[in-house]
């Protein structure tokens, strides 16, 4: 069995962002040489998500609206967590959007559905963040 590990780096200009990382994940898969197996991808942070959904700008605005409704960024003092920090909303948003994705690798390709794309969801940006890609198989 082969094993591959890579860490991708992000530093968004805005506090929140959705980035389609499917091309970078495909590049990792190509680099790994693995043809059959499983790929795991997760942020190495508790204020960011990796999730799978449609690459459609309207939907991304809908996500932003939903997350701001459920866990609004402001006022900061509405959260117990915000004693020393201002990112309670980011922790909550990450929990709603999920931590990681697992994708099957078949015949050297990501075995995704027609409209499935892999996204990095940043909820407390403007700082260095890392995303782990782990692939196992043969
Ligand atoms: Zn925090």
């Amino acid at each position: 069995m082969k094993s591959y590990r890579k860490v991708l780096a992000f530093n968004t200009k805005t506090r929140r962002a959705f980035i389609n990382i499917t091309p970078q994940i495909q590049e990792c898969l190509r680099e790994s040489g693995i043809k059959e197996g499983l790929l795991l991808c997760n942020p190495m942070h508790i204020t960011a998500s990796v999730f799978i959904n449609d690459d459609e700008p309207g939907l991304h605005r809908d996500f932003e609206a939903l997350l701001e409704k459920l866990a609004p960024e402001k006022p900061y003092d509405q959260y117990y967590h915000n004693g020393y920090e201002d990112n309670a909303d980011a922790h909550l948003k990450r929990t709603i959007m999920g931590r990681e994705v697992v994708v099957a690798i078949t015949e050297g390709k990501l075995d995704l559905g027609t409209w499935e794309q892999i996204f990095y969801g940043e909820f407390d940006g403007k700082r260095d963040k890392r995303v782990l890609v782990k692939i196992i198989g043969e």
Side-chain angles (χ1 to χ4, degrees):
M1 189 194 76
K2 279 198 257 184
S3 172
Y4 170 95
R5 180 183 190 271
K6 185 150 191 176
V7 176
L8 307 175
F10 294 90
N11 190 329
T12 60
K13 290 191 173 68
T14 52
R15 180 177 170 105
R16 287 190 291 281
F18 295 128
I19 301 168
N20 187 339
I21 59 171
T22 313
Q24 286 158 275
I25 304 295
Q26 281 165 336
E27 179 57 23
C28 290
L29 179 56
R30 194 196 57 72
E31 212 172 81
S32 76
I34 292 170
K35 303 293 180 203
E36 296 291 327
L38 289 173
L39 179 148
L40 166 74
C41 182
N42 63 270
M44 301 172 89
H45 302 272
I46 50 181
T47 54
S49 294
V50 172
F51 63 96
I52 292 179
N53 218 303
D54 195 359
D55 195 359
E56 196 281 301
L59 180 65
H60 297 179
R61 290 175 65 186
D62 291 334
F63 281 140
E64 167 69 14
L66 173 76
L67 293 170
E68 271 298 286
K69 196 186 291 180
L70 294 174
E73 179 188 338
K74 295 170 185 169
Y76 294 120
D77 66 5
Q78 72 187 300
Y79 298 107
Y80 298 113
H81 179 68
N82 284 348
Y84 301 96
E85 293 187 282
D86 68 358
N87 67 359
D89 70 299
H91 290 280
L92 298 172
K93 285 166 174 141
R94 171 264 172 77
T95 299
I96 294 163
M97 295 304 285
R99 173 180 179 265
E100 79 280 310
V101 300
V102 177
V103 180
I105 307 304
T106 304
E107 295 177 352
K109 291 186 175 150
L110 299 173
D111 207 340
L112 293 168
T114 309
W115 300 106
E116 286 189 313
Q117 294 285 296
I118 306 168
F119 290 90
Y120 174 65
E122 177 62 79
F123 306 115
D124 188 19
K126 301 191 247 182
R127 65 191 74 196
D128 291 333
K129 295 287 192 80
R130 294 173 302 149
V131 169
L132 174 69
V133 181
K134 182 87 182 188
I135 312 172
I136 55 171
E138 52 189 25

